[in-house]
Amino acid sequence: MKRATGSKAMTDRPLVCLAAFAVGAVFLLVGILGFIPGVTSDYDMMKFAGHESEAKLLGVFNVSILHNIVHVLFGIAGIVLARQARTAEWYLIGGGAIYLVLWLYGLLIDKETSANFVPLNTADDWLHFVLGLGMIGLGVVLGRRLPRRERLA
């Protein structure tokens, strides 16, 4: 059954688009949840940025206002870039690379200094590692499944 609008249904899109949309939606949700007291413990201790922010999403992951805003923007980017296979693949691979760099950054900095401006804790570091590998893996594997013309478009 065709849609009258002529637009593709989400289920008709390449898997790389669905994956980028799902990843973007999760980041958007996580960014919003970071602003909800109760979901974020020690909400009253949240700072705009920096290691002094003691708020923790789900009681585990350090967050700040800046951290939450970055998640929201990264999520919106994923949803927007999921519209085309090529940009969805770029979002997943490029975003994964960013998260691997953030993982390394988190491992190398002293968490109690101004270098920890996001803020990051050990749980964030290892989540960034898993996200980075997962996003790159999705982008590479699902991007390979695209017809050559869609990959080069």
Side-chain angles (χ1 to χ4, degrees), residues 2-65:
K2 284 191 172 183
R3 291 180 164 229
T5 62
S7 66
K8 281 186 167 183
M10 274 306 283
T11 56
D12 295 339
R13 295 193 183 274
L15 287 177
V16 71
C17 293
L18 296 175
F21 183 87
V23 169
V26 168
F27 275 106
L28 179 59
L29 178 63
V30 165
I32 291 168
L33 290 175
F35 289 113
I36 299 176
V39 177
T40 299
S41 61
D42 298 319
Y43 187 82
D44 57 331
M45 303 295 286
M46 186 182 304
K47 306 287 187 214
F48 178 77
H51 67 281
E52 299 90 8
S53 186
E54 295 180 29
K56 288 187 174 28
L57 180 64
L58 305 174
V60 178
F61 305 102
N62 272 56
V63 292
S64 64
I65 294 168

Side-chain angles (χ1 to χ4, degrees), residues 58-79:
L58 305 174
V60 178
F61 305 102
N62 272 56
V63 292
S64 64
I65 294 168
L66 176 62
H67 203 151
N68 292 333
I69 290 170
V70 168
H71 284 142
V72 167
L73 293 175
F74 197 71
I76 291 169
I79 291 168

Side-chain angles (χ1 to χ4, degrees), residues 16-17 20-21 74-92:
V16 71
C17 293
F21 183 87
F74 197 71
I76 291 169
I79 291 168
V80 170
L81 294 172
R83 292 180 180 173
Q84 295 180 14
R86 178 179 40 113
T87 57
E89 185 180 6
W90 290 352
Y91 171 76
L92 290 169

Side-chain angles (χ1 to χ4, degrees), residues 86 89 140 143-153:
R86 178 179 40 113
E89 185 180 6
V140 169
R144 284 186 185 162
R145 301 176 96 190
L146 295 171
R148 183 168 171 76
R149 63 177 158 54
E150 284 189 48
R151 294 190 74 206
L152 299 174

